[in-house]
Every structure is written in structure tokens, then in C-alpha cells.
Amino acid sequence: GAGVSQSPSNKVTEKGKDVELRCDPISGHTALYWYRQSLGQGLEFLIYFQGNSAPDKSGLPSDRFSAERTGGSVSTLTIQRTQQEDSAVYLCASSTPGQGGNNEQFFGPGTRLTVL
Amino acid sequence: AQSVSQHNHHVILSEAASLELGCNYSYGGTVNLFWYVQYPGQHLQLLLKYFSGDPLVKGIKGFEAEFIKSKFSFNLRKPSVQWSDTAEYFCAVKISGTYKYIFGTGTRLKVLA
């Protein structure tokens, strides 16, 4: 079956512009995560969606970052007024929550964002 | 705050050498432990995981990891690496019953043919 897909695969933008990154999770996966992977860094948790519950936004680095998930499926991560330090690979993962959330995350290919 | 440390950032081995990648975490309660691998040009994928039971877990492609609770460690091992094991390896910890994963910074493994 289809895995997690993300678009675009690469995005180059100018400082100050807004960008939108999209994630299509695996069908039936109610849990969705966004991570940021910067060079030499691990995966930094950004936001978590689970079904219709309020998302956990505790990892968003600033108010320029926001995310939504429409209809419990597709998610969009928006970065406003991009800065050079936003350059990174943005990864999306989905999973079935399982008991206590003990289920494997399936990752998408990521979107490589470059802010000039 | 909880954290995960992978002390080896870059490892270079010859084929058939043995591999051990270190992973230590800081949290005193019950955790779930994972190793993920990212082959060049591919997605992150699960290599193995530990939830409970036998602390020695076996994953795909001959990898295994041992959970040593007293040392807060979950080191990854493989007795004989292959060129195809060249990849970046990430250790991750999830506090049991929660949904948030904490990842280490990764270890880049290069295996020379």
C-alpha cells in the first residue's frame, strides 16, 4: 500500500516568504507527527495530531510555525516569514496509536527546505 | 528534560567487522526504545524496537540491540557488517504510555567494501 507522502520534495524560498509543506499519512493512521531535521541534529519534534484531539504544539519553535490537519488526514505545516535558520528537512510520520501509543511510526521522504 | 545521546557521530568500518553503536537516554521511568535507519536516498525506517520482555531484541538484517536498564542504554549491534549497511542510524526513546518520541542526533555508518 501507499506510504506516507510529502510534497514538495524540495523547496527553495527567499527569506521572509511563507511556505506550506504537505503531508499525506497512511490511510487509517490517526496519529501524525511533524519533525525537523537540521544538519548534524537529531529529529526535533514539532507537533503531534491524534484523531480529533487538540494537537500537541509544544515543539513548534516560534509563532511563525503553524500546522493543521484537515478531516483527520492530510496535514499542512506552514512557516511564515521564513528565516535562514528554518532551512532543514521537515519530516512527517504517521502511526496507529495502539495501546499506549506503542506503535511504529512510518516516515515520509521529507521536504528539504532551503531559505536563501 | 529527557534526552537521548548517541556518542558515535561517524563510524567507518570494513566489511565483516563487528558493529556496536551506543545509545543512552535520560529518564528514570518505563520507556520504549527504538532504532531507526535511513539508507541513502530512502525514508527513515524501523530497524527494531523494545517494549518489554527479553531485553535482547532482534531486528531486520541481522541487527540486534540490548536494553540494559541499569545503564539506561540500548546499544545496537551487528556481528558482521556489509557494505549495504552504510546508512544513518537513529536511536529513539518514547516514555511508555505517551506519544512523544525523543531522537538522538544519529550515527553515520560507512562500510568500506
Side-chain angles (χ1 to χ4, degrees):
Chain A
V4 177
S5 61
Q6 292 185 245
S7 60
S9 54
N10 280 285
K11 177 72 177 177
V12 180
T13 190
E14 293 180 346
K15 178 182 173 181
K17 300 284 189 183
D18 297 352
V19 295
E20 281 190 355
L21 313 179
R22 177 187 168 108
C23 171
D24 281 273
I26 292 172
S27 177
H29 282 192
T30 56
L32 187 148
Y33 300 76
W34 281 100
Y35 294 92
R36 179 168 68 177
Q37 185 179 17
S38 304
L39 192 63
Q41 304 292 317
L43 275 67
E44 176 189 3
F45 167 80
L46 297 178
I47 188 168
Y48 168 77
F49 294 91
Q50 170 49 43
N52 295 321
S53 303
D56 177 353
K57 305 180 181 180
S58 62
L60 295 178
S62 78
D63 59 7
R64 295 186 296 104
F65 287 72
S66 63
E68 62 178 25
R69 189 177 184 192
T70 54
S73 182
V74 172
S75 177
T76 302
L77 177 69
T78 301
I79 309 173
Q80 296 178 307
R81 305 181 302 282
T82 52
Q83 304 294 312
Q84 289 181 334
E85 59 264 27
D86 299 334
S87 296
V89 175
Y90 290 82
L91 292 170
C92 175
S94 71
S95 73
T96 53
Q99 187 173 8
N102 292 342
N103 278 357
E104 176 186 352
Q105 293 180 93
F106 291 83
F107 283 85
T111 293
R112 183 175 297 277
L113 174 66
T114 303
V115 182
L116 301 176
Chain B
Q2 297 85 30
S3 64
V4 176
S5 297
Q6 291 182 245
H7 303 294
N8 314 104
H9 299 297
H10 291 89
V11 174
I12 301 174
L13 295 172
S14 298
E15 273 195 317
S18 63
L19 170 72
E20 180 159 4
L21 301 183
C23 173
N24 288 87
Y25 64 93
S26 62
Y27 181 71
T30 303
V31 293
N32 306 134
L33 299 156
F34 306 81
W35 276 96
Y36 283 84
V37 61
Q38 188 168 28
Y39 297 103
Q42 296 188 26
H43 307 189
L44 267 166
Q45 58 185 282
L46 184 68
L47 199 55
L48 48 78
K49 61 186 177 184
Y50 171 81
F51 288 128
S52 63
D54 189 344
L56 183 64
V57 293
K58 295 188 183 298
I60 60 172
K61 304 188 180 185
F63 286 90
E64 65 179 31
E66 184 174 13
F67 171 47
I68 303 179
K69 189 173 182 179
S70 61
K71 294 185 178 180
F72 301 93
S73 69
F74 190 55
N75 292 354
L76 181 70
R77 299 195 294 249
K78 185 171 183 178
S80 177
V81 295
Q82 301 175 312
W83 176 80
S84 58
D85 293 325
T86 294
E88 190 161 16
Y89 294 80
F90 293 90
C91 180
V93 170
K94 187 170 74 67
I95 296 170
S96 184
T98 72
Y99 52 78
K100 192 174 291 187
Y101 292 74
I102 303 162
F103 283 80
T105 53
T107 297
R108 288 185 183 271
L109 171 66
K110 183 170 185 176
V111 180
L112 305 175

